[in-house]
Amino acid sequence: MSTEINHDNLTEKERKSMARRAGLASLVGTTIEWYDFFLFGTMAALVFPQLFFPGADPVAGLLQSFAALFVGFAARPLGAAFFGYFGDRIGRKATLVTTLLLMGIASTLIGLLPSYETWGVAATILLVFFRFCQGFGAGGEWGGSVVLSVEWSSKGKRGLMGSMTQVASPIALLLSSAVVSATIFLTGDNFHVWGWRIPFLISIILVIIGFIIRRGVEDSPSFKKMQKEDRLSKQPVRDVFRRYPKTLFLVILAGLAQGVPFYVFTTFAISYGSGQLQLESQFLTNTLMVVSIVEIAVIFYAAHLSDKYNRKSIFYVGALITVLMAFPFFWLFDTKVAGLVVLAMSLAIIGAGTVYGPLAALIAECFPAELRYSGTSLGYQLSAAIQGISPMLCVYLLDTFNSTAPISIYLVVASLIAIVAVVNLKKAKYMDAEDVAS
């Protein structure tokens, strides 16, 4: 357990040490939460249609499975509002510890859940409920993690520090893909019977590790200062909607340039590759690991460039890369040639990664300190709820038009909308003066 520290008396060395600790806590904690969140997406594509939605034709079963996946996205704005309130009222740290525990418990229970064959519709209902809990926890995780790391950083490092939360996403995708791939290899034909449970049960170990790390982090100096001066908002969620409705709307649209391509090029690509193209599941999960490594490097470099040059410019470059890759991705993927499939997914993720690098700091800088947890969380998670329809929408478009062209158009439109939104985003007043960690 950490002891209370006096932020006013911290030396420069101590501030930098706390900033590094906050960055590590953001990286590890968010990685664990996204591991659980992405794991559900992979299983929704590979095994849940047969285990929890039997009796339907393959397309209907996949749509039902992705609908359960979407429940997590729909819950994220609710979690953002709930945890945003407490994050801006009682502190970032305590709230983040709670979101971590909620996610871990829900994921572990999914791993213990009997299938439809054993419990009938009750199993399906519980699966959807646990997915809701996952989304509720994730809704408060991202914003709090970003705010904690950005508020501990100096002005010239906000992009890089914010990317500690961002890079957790591909690391989690890498980790979940590696665990699923190893489980498929070790359990063979039993993967669809009981092997799929192993990755979910592993999450309880990861949660314990994350809990220990997060307990050692202090709330940021800016939050402590607001608390000391009694400047905390009494109704932060209400105040975000009342004082920053335009900013909130623009942040929601800005997030489309990352979330839409990410879920099309990962979650949908898995189901499309295994279902339509008859590619091996293990090959696809292995490819996701390669994609994750590429995205990690891109996120860090893009965040660094956003500190050195301009966050908006880096964002525009990423969105335009997605526009350029929207059609070539499927042209390469449809060849079913292993090397070209890997190339398609690796090139396509560069756009989303370039957007994601500066996105955390870009959003956090739009809201004042007293509303930052709520504003950042709500904007990002409301956008995520929209993004969450992507796998379902892609399945529908493919089944309706028997072509991937409408999916490519969807990617282009989402990216262009996001660019227009970011052009109109403004940094919060006094944000540059709030250089609390320098």
Side-chain angles (χ1 to χ4, degrees), residues 163 166-170 294-304 352-354 356-358:
S163 72
Q166 307 298 70
V167 82
S169 173
V294 171
E295 192 181 13
I296 289 168
V298 171
I299 287 174
F300 271 134
Y301 189 57
H304 165 70
T354 304
Y356 210 36

Side-chain angles (χ1 to χ4, degrees), residues 163-175:
S163 72
M164 293 299 175
T165 296
Q166 307 298 70
V167 82
S169 173
I171 290 176
L173 183 60
L174 174 63
L175 181 60

Side-chain angles (χ1 to χ4, degrees), residues 21-359:
R21 192 180 300 178
L24 176 64
S26 295
L27 175 63
V28 174
T30 310
T31 295
I32 293 168
E33 292 220 27
W34 286 136
Y35 165 85
D36 290 332
F37 202 77
F38 292 150
L39 188 59
F40 193 103
T42 302
M43 297 304 184
L46 295 179
V47 299
F48 285 170
Q50 298 81 26
L51 291 175
F52 294 99
F53 304 97
D57 66 79
V59 173
L62 186 59
L63 280 171
Q64 290 171 354
S65 184
F66 279 156
L69 176 70
F70 174 72
V71 167
F73 289 94
R76 283 166 66 172
L78 300 177
F82 180 83
F83 290 112
Y85 172 84
F86 290 104
D88 281 327
R89 288 291 301 162
I90 67 174
R92 287 64 161 122
K93 171 188 169 180
T95 308
L96 285 172
V97 169
T98 304
T99 63
L100 180 67
L101 292 175
L102 177 60
M103 178 69 84
I105 292 171
S107 297
T108 302
L109 291 175
I110 290 174
L112 297 173
L113 186 64
S115 67
Y116 184 94
E117 184 179 0
T118 304
W119 275 17
V121 71
T124 304
I125 292 172
L126 284 174
L127 177 71
V128 174
F129 173 72
F130 294 147
R131 178 58 177 175
F132 177 88
C133 293
Q134 278 190 326
F136 197 77
E141 163 63 28
W142 187 88
S145 180
V146 165
V147 167
L148 187 65
S149 57
V150 168
E151 286 184 342
W152 266 111
S153 66
S154 59
K155 176 185 172 183
K157 296 290 186 181
R158 287 184 194 138
L160 191 59
M161 283 293 288
S163 72
M164 293 299 175
T165 296
Q166 307 298 70
V167 82
S169 173
I171 290 176
L173 183 60
L174 174 63
L175 181 60
S176 63
S177 300
V179 171
V180 171
S181 182
T183 304
I184 292 173
F185 176 76
L186 293 173
T187 60
D189 293 338
N190 288 316
F191 176 75
H192 287 76
V193 181
W194 54 265
W196 66 272
R197 300 179 183 278
I198 295 174
F200 285 104
L201 297 177
I202 288 175
S203 67
I204 193 64
I205 301 172
L206 300 178
V207 166
I208 293 172
I209 296 172
F211 177 80
I212 293 171
I213 292 175
R214 281 203 165 159
R215 290 283 290 174
V217 179
E218 292 292 334
D219 267 316
S220 68
S222 59
F223 179 81
K224 289 295 185 181
K225 183 179 180 181
M226 288 190 302
Q227 196 174 46
K228 184 178 180 180
E229 297 173 354
D230 195 26
R231 291 194 292 113
L232 300 177
S233 171
K234 290 182 172 57
Q235 295 292 334
V237 176
R238 181 199 63 187
D239 288 345
V240 168
F241 282 101
R242 182 171 58 87
R243 292 169 51 188
Y244 293 91
K246 179 181 176 181
T247 299
L248 187 64
F249 179 68
L250 293 175
V251 166
I252 292 169
L253 296 182
L256 299 180
Q258 185 276 326
V260 170
F262 179 82
Y263 288 108
V264 171
F265 295 144
T266 57
T267 302
F268 173 73
I270 286 281
S271 66
Y272 178 70
S274 61
Q276 295 291 321
L277 304 183
Q278 300 298 305
L279 297 172
E280 292 184 1
S281 297
Q282 187 163 18
F283 163 71
L284 291 170
T285 54
N286 288 342
T287 302
L288 274 184
M289 289 189 281
V290 176
V291 169
S292 301
I293 294 170
V294 171
E295 192 181 13
I296 289 168
V298 171
I299 287 174
F300 271 134
Y301 189 57
H304 165 70
L305 292 178
S306 78
D307 282 329
K308 188 176 181 180
Y309 298 109
N310 181 282
R311 298 200 212 294
K312 288 189 175 183
S313 297
I314 304 304
F315 183 99
Y316 302 149
V317 170
L320 290 175
I321 290 174
T322 295
V323 171
L324 293 175
M325 280 300 302
F327 285 92
F329 171 78
F330 288 105
W331 298 340
L332 292 170
F333 208 90
D334 287 344
T335 65
K336 297 192 277 188
V337 176
L340 294 180
V341 170
V342 174
L343 180 64
M345 294 183 72
S346 298
L347 290 178
I349 206 65
I350 291 175
T354 304
V355 165
Y356 210 36
L359 187 64

